[in-house]
Amino acid sequence: MHDIISLEATVDSEWAGKRLDQIAALAFPDYSRSRLKNWIEAGELTVDGAVLRPREKLYGGEQLNINTTIEHQERWQPQAIDLDIVFEDEHILVLNKPAGLVVHPAAGHQDGTLLNALLHHAPQLSSVPRAGIVHRLDKDTTGLMVVAKTIPAQTDLVAQLQERTMGREYEAVAQGVLTGGGVVDEPMARSSRNRQKMAVAPLGKPATTHYRVLKRFRAHTHLRLKLETGRTHQIRVHMSHINYPLLGDPLYGGRQRLPKGCDEDFLDCLRGFKRQALHAKRLELNHPHTYDDMEWEVPLPDDMQDLLAELERDYKLWQHQQYQ
């Protein structure tokens, strides 16, 4: 099943001398530049009925026509999975993702994902690429995500991500005691030794993570982090790179760091925390239709609150012993 797209526009004289791919982005702002370029190269976006190359210049007055189809994403089935929706209108949806929920179907996770849940909640998302998902959280990372409900909203939100105007703040528990906040500005790429992992790599894509200390414990630190870029596993890789990996991280965490003389309850809590202690707490964006500045914040999930309570209990117990 396909959605048929048939559009037309006349090239404005103000755009004279610009390239076809640049003019197409101005004439059809609801669609991404990469999608428009693909249509040009496939001959589905024509100029006065002719197929031109994306780099060819136009001079005003030409007629642009798009005749193409977008495939309905039928291979992904809607599934009734509960969603914790924080905000929703006809353009966007903001949700609080639980731990254990995969965002997008992939090898080993063909269904039971956030995408399947979204298709059930809002069936019109079947005609939006990736069911409106514009950014992802790892399976075991919790917190705020925004989903576009229309193609124009998706194009706008992707641009906000690329221009780094979307604000995303996280809270995490790192292993080790940091003396203060800082910035990790290290490029990243897929690891050459393990394709499941990402790594700091000199020739990788730029990646910048800001962090500040919220609370220090005996062998751990509660952090607030802000992303400038959104690389896969970025916070997890960057914190591991500076030798303060996230507690519970199965890929980048290394050996568990335990304070001396801690009790069994505390040990059980640390050993029982089987995911990276990372939560997307705050989200800021410009609404793609109203252009209002919007922001949301959600509390830490119960398991991270319990973890922090145990870290605090251990720290106070240790302090008490120091003064005995």
Side-chain angles (χ1 to χ4, degrees), residues 230-243:
R231 308 297 171 211
T232 301
H233 300 173
Q234 180 173 318
I235 289 172
R236 299 164 64 188
V237 170
H238 272 173
M239 294 313 296
S240 179
H241 178 71
I242 62 169
N243 294 316

Side-chain angles (χ1 to χ4, degrees), residues 2 23 37 42 62 79 85-86 95 113 134 144 169 200 203 212 263 282 290:
H2 297 76
I23 288 171
K37 188 178 178 185
E62 296 95 337
Q79 289 178 297
I85 294 171
V86 178
L95 60 98
T113 70
V134 294
L144 289 166
E169 290 188 31
V200 165
L203 300 178
R212 63 185 174 89
D263 62 28
R282 181 181 168 91
T290 64

Side-chain angles (χ1 to χ4, degrees), residues 183-302:
V183 183
V184 186
D185 189 359
E186 295 284 356
M188 286 177 52
R190 195 157 292 283
S191 168
S192 56
R193 286 182 289 192
N194 179 351
R195 303 303 291 171
Q196 302 296 310
K197 297 175 75 170
M198 303 296 288
V200 165
L203 300 178
K205 293 179 178 177
T208 307
T209 305
H210 300 260
Y211 62 90
R212 63 185 174 89
V213 172
L214 293 179
K215 184 79 197 267
R216 295 181 191 86
F217 303 102
R218 279 214 288 158
H220 300 86
T221 311
H222 181 195
L223 297 171
R224 188 83 175 224
L225 306 107
K226 191 173 176 79
L227 288 182
E228 267 190 48
T229 50
R231 308 297 171 211
T232 301
H233 300 173
Q234 180 173 318
I235 289 172
R236 299 164 64 188
V237 170
H238 272 173
M239 294 313 296
S240 179
H241 178 71
I242 62 169
N243 294 316
Y244 294 95
L246 300 193
L247 187 148
D249 192 330
L251 267 185
Y252 307 101
R255 285 179 58 232
Q256 182 80 267
R257 300 182 196 176
L258 302 171
K260 288 178 183 172
C262 54
D263 62 28
E264 281 300 317
D265 286 348
F266 183 74
L267 283 174
D268 287 347
C269 175
L270 289 195
R271 289 174 181 150
F273 204 92
K274 299 292 191 187
R275 70 178 186 91
Q276 62 271 5
L278 181 62
H279 175 69
K281 187 169 176 66
R282 181 181 168 91
L283 177 68
E284 297 176 60
L285 55 83
N286 188 256
H287 192 284
H289 184 73
T290 64
Y291 305 115
D292 291 336
D293 290 329
M294 305 188 79
E295 58 184 68
W296 300 270
E297 194 160 316
V298 288
L300 292 172
D302 290 346

Side-chain angles (χ1 to χ4, degrees), residues 161-181:
L161 284 163
Q162 290 173 342
E163 292 160 12
R164 304 184 185 184
T165 57
M166 189 182 290
R168 289 169 295 158
E169 290 188 31
Y170 293 71
E171 285 192 21
V173 178
Q175 299 199 68
V177 183
L178 284 108
T179 53

Side-chain angles (χ1 to χ4, degrees), residues 93 103 114 130 132-137 143-147 154 157-158 161 166 168 170 227 230 280 283 285:
L93 179 157
V103 169
L114 174 61
R130 295 178 302 285
I133 293 168
V134 294
H135 65 121
R136 302 185 188 187
L137 294 177
L144 289 166
M145 284 181 65
V146 61
V147 174
Q154 188 176 45
L157 291 173
V158 167
L161 284 163
M166 189 182 290
R168 289 169 295 158
Y170 293 71
L227 288 182
L283 177 68
L285 55 83

